[in-house]
Amino acid sequence: MLQAGVFASRFPTAESTLWTIVNRNEHASTGEQIRTPHRAGMHYYDLWRGTELTPAIHGNEATLGFSVEGLGFGAVLATERFPAAGPGADPLKNLLSYMAERSRRPLSSYSREWNPLAQKMVEIPATKRAQIEGGNDPGVDVQYPWEDVPRRAHRHRSHIASFYMDRTPVTNAEFNAFLDATHYHPEDDHNFLRDWKNGSYADGWDKSADVTRA
């Protein structure tokens, strides 16, 4: 980034480059922000405001100028794609239209008071890797029915109905016999029998090792 206090993460592909931007200054940052290699046919979009940018071309470089409000965010896309004309389901055109409407109200007009939203489960598409981070602020992690907001630490006294437990540890062989007889499988099988491989325990674990993660 060309302006002090403005930072970006850059995500290049063979056909496009995306910058996600944050302004750490209390004041707005205006003017030239990004200088990038240019080639014929490239288009530049201010995704935050939903507009196309007009670059200043000098040789094989493009300089992009736009504003980012104080303590605000931005996103810029450089791509060879051009939004399809007319109505339709062009993803880039739809995104530009959506962000143009959403960005009309500046972030500074919203309250800075922290009010966590009610927790709601959403489906996350399959991915190779995901990293989730957060502090200990209200709204982070899990919300149980007796809590007003999600949080990382939980303290609650619960009534537990009577249940049965083996008086002695269960071996892998004994638990395997139980599975064969009942076809038991938990609804939430995260880490269920994680130490078993291909549906069975390792050689020598039949009586010499107790079953774990069952």
Side-chain angles (χ1 to χ4, degrees):
M1 301 297 292
L2 302 178
Q3 300 288 338
V6 182
F7 305 92
S9 297
R10 180 173 173 267
F11 304 91
T13 69
E15 298 179 351
S16 62
T17 300
L18 171 68
W19 292 266
T20 56
I21 301 161
V22 57
N23 180 9
R24 296 295 190 186
N25 300 302
E26 294 279 348
H27 57 81
S29 176
T30 60
E32 296 180 344
Q33 302 282 2
I34 295 175
R35 184 167 294 129
T36 183
H38 173 77
R39 63 177 180 268
M42 293 297 290
H43 297 271
Y44 303 91
Y45 300 96
D46 182 340
L47 296 184
W48 187 264
R49 289 182 170 77
T51 61
E52 183 170 6
L53 297 171
T54 301
I57 307 299
H58 301 283
N60 62 350
E61 285 189 331
T63 302
L64 308 176
F66 50 91
S67 63
V68 185
E69 67 177 294
L71 300 178
F73 303 92
V76 169
L77 176 68
T79 179
E80 295 178 348
R81 283 199 56 219
F82 190 77
D90 183 284
L92 179 55
K93 181 179 179 180
N94 292 343
L95 175 61
L96 293 173
S97 176
Y98 175 79
M99 290 305 300
E101 178 65 28
R102 294 284 291 184
S103 63
R104 287 182 180 178
R105 180 179 175 182
L107 293 179
S108 58
S109 68
Y110 292 90
S111 172
R112 292 194 181 187
E113 181 181 355
W114 173 259
N115 289 303
L117 298 175
Q119 192 174 60
K120 180 180 179 180
M121 300 294 289
V122 296
E123 182 180 1
I124 306 300
T127 182
K128 293 182 179 180
R129 180 177 61 184
Q131 181 174 338
I132 302 175
E133 296 181 354
N136 199 30
D137 301 305
V140 175
D141 217 290
V142 175
Q143 177 182 352
Y144 287 103
W146 57 83
E147 296 171 336
D148 55 347
V149 294
R151 61 191 65 187
R152 286 192 164 179
H154 314 275
R155 182 180 176 87
H156 182 72
R157 182 171 299 208
S158 299
H159 172 74
I160 301 176
S162 61
F163 61 96
Y164 291 91
M165 179 181 292
D166 288 298
R167 297 178 62 183
T168 58
V170 177
T171 66
N172 284 278
E174 290 171 333
F175 194 76
N176 190 57
F178 163 74
L179 294 179
D180 290 341
T182 64
H183 305 289
Y184 167 77
H185 193 89
E187 289 187 16
D188 182 359
D189 60 2
H190 178 65
N191 281 336
F192 179 62
L193 298 178
R194 192 179 72 176
D195 297 324
W196 289 23
K197 303 299 181 184
N198 300 319
S200 183
Y201 47 85
D203 292 340
W205 282 18
D206 49 352
K207 297 181 180 179
S208 63
D210 300 326
V211 66
T212 58
R213 304 185 184 277

